């Protein structure tokens, strides 16, 4: 294997994805800029350092405000079937505007069929959650998990928000039956039946 292929191996790329993110890169740039500003005495470097710190501060504070004073309601649009997708309706009520919310459902049986991302909510909004279940039964959903990384996507905050207890009925998977032969009273005797002579002629059992 050539050195270039070894450097760009899947293991090395996975290592970079685990340990290097935008949050750490900005902190590293801030330290480098601060060191350069202190060593050279360049006012522009101090200004750049202040800008990086302001971006980090906004990235830490804003997600918490995005997840404050959220009131959720959930109801089932239709009964679910095992192995098939259904829909839940999520209503989000806020005291103001909210941006860039990611919705997750933490339930041992019922799970989201795909990722749900809410781009914008102005005081109230309704959103469809595609869900599916692996087992039949009656299940309770008591909370929804919301994640916000607004405005820069550098730092994310996750919060589990309670909802009014919603009961979800999951029906068994429907199966198609073959064509059943028309049964007639004159052909009601099958193998293993017995007969008894009595009035009425209905002696087969």
């Amino acid at each position: 294997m050539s050195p270039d292929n070894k450097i760009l191996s899947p293991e090395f790329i996975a290592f970079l994805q685990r340990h290097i993110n935008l949050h750490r890169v900005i902190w590293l740039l801030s330290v480098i800029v601060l060191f350069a500003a202190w060593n050279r005495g360049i006012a522009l470097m101090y200004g750049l350092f202040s800008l990086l710190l302001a971006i980090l501060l906004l990235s830490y504070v804003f997600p918490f405000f995005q997840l404050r004073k959220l009131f959720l309601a959930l109801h089932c649009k239709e009964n679910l079937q095992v192995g098939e997708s259904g829909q839940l309706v999520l209503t989000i009520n806020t005291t103001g505007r909210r941006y860039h919310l990611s919705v997750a459902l933490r339930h041992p049986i019922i799970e989201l069929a795909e990722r749900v991302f809410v781009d914008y909510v102005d005081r109230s909004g309704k959103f469809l959650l595609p869900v599916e279940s692996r087992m039949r039964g009656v299940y309770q959903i008591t909370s929804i998990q919301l994640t916000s990384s607004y405005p820069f996507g550098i730092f994310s905050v996750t919060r589990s928000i309670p909802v009014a207890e919603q009961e979800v009925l999951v029906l068994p998977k429907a199966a198609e039956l073959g064509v059943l032969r028309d049964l007639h009273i004159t052909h009601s005797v099958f193998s293993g039946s017995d007969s008894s002579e009595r009035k009425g002629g209905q002696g087969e059992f």
Side-chain angles (χ1 to χ4, degrees):
M1 180 183 292
S2 64
D4 291 341
N5 291 337
K6 188 176 294 185
I7 292 176
L8 298 177
S9 64
E11 293 80 7
F12 181 72
I13 294 176
F15 173 81
L16 292 179
Q17 291 175 340
R18 276 198 311 270
H19 298 285
I20 296 180
N21 53 41
L22 185 58
H23 175 234
R24 294 179 179 177
V25 168
I26 292 181
W27 270 115
L28 180 60
L29 286 176
S30 301
V31 172
I32 293 174
V33 169
L34 178 62
F35 178 77
W38 174 76
N39 190 37
R40 297 293 183 181
I42 303 175
L44 183 60
M45 288 294 186
Y46 282 111
L48 182 57
F49 173 71
S50 300
L51 177 61
L52 292 173
L53 282 186
I55 290 175
L56 288 173
L57 179 61
L58 291 176
S59 299
Y60 284 137
V61 172
F62 266 73
F64 288 100
F65 282 100
Q66 291 295 304
L67 298 179
R68 289 180 68 248
K69 296 183 180 180
L70 291 175
F71 308 96
L72 307 183
L74 190 70
H75 72 272
C76 191
K77 190 174 182 181
E78 56 190 6
N79 292 331
L80 305 181
Q81 279 192 343
V82 174
E84 296 186 4
S85 295
Q87 289 182 332
L88 299 178
V89 180
L90 174 65
T91 303
I92 301 178
N93 297 308
T94 74
T95 56
R97 296 179 180 177
R98 297 295 185 270
Y99 304 90
H100 302 177
L101 299 175
S102 179
V103 182
L105 180 61
R106 296 288 179 260
H107 194 275
I109 305 298
I110 301 173
E111 54 190 19
L112 289 178
E114 60 187 47
R115 183 180 177 184
V116 177
F117 185 76
V118 177
D119 185 57
Y120 173 77
V121 181
D122 188 2
R123 297 188 180 276
S124 181
K126 292 186 177 183
F127 307 91
L128 295 179
L129 305 183
V131 295
E132 55 187 18
S133 175
R134 294 176 281 108
M135 294 178 61
R136 67 180 183 178
V138 180
Y139 303 103
Q140 307 292 335
I141 299 178
T142 58
S143 66
I144 294 291
Q145 194 174 78
L146 296 181
T147 301
S148 174
S149 58
Y150 181 79
F152 303 116
I154 298 174
F155 181 73
S156 63
V157 174
T158 300
R159 181 184 168 197
S160 184
I161 301 177
V163 297
E165 189 172 291
Q166 172 62 47
E167 186 176 271
V168 178
L169 174 62
V170 182
L171 302 174
K173 187 174 182 179
E176 293 186 4
L177 298 177
V179 179
L180 297 179
R181 191 180 72 172
D182 247 349
L183 298 181
H184 192 272
I185 191 170
T186 58
H187 302 96
S188 60
V189 180
F190 297 96
S191 176
S193 65
D194 200 357
S195 62
S196 173
E197 295 297 333
R198 64 185 182 84
K199 292 183 179 180
Q202 304 297 325
E204 307 294 344
F205 62 90

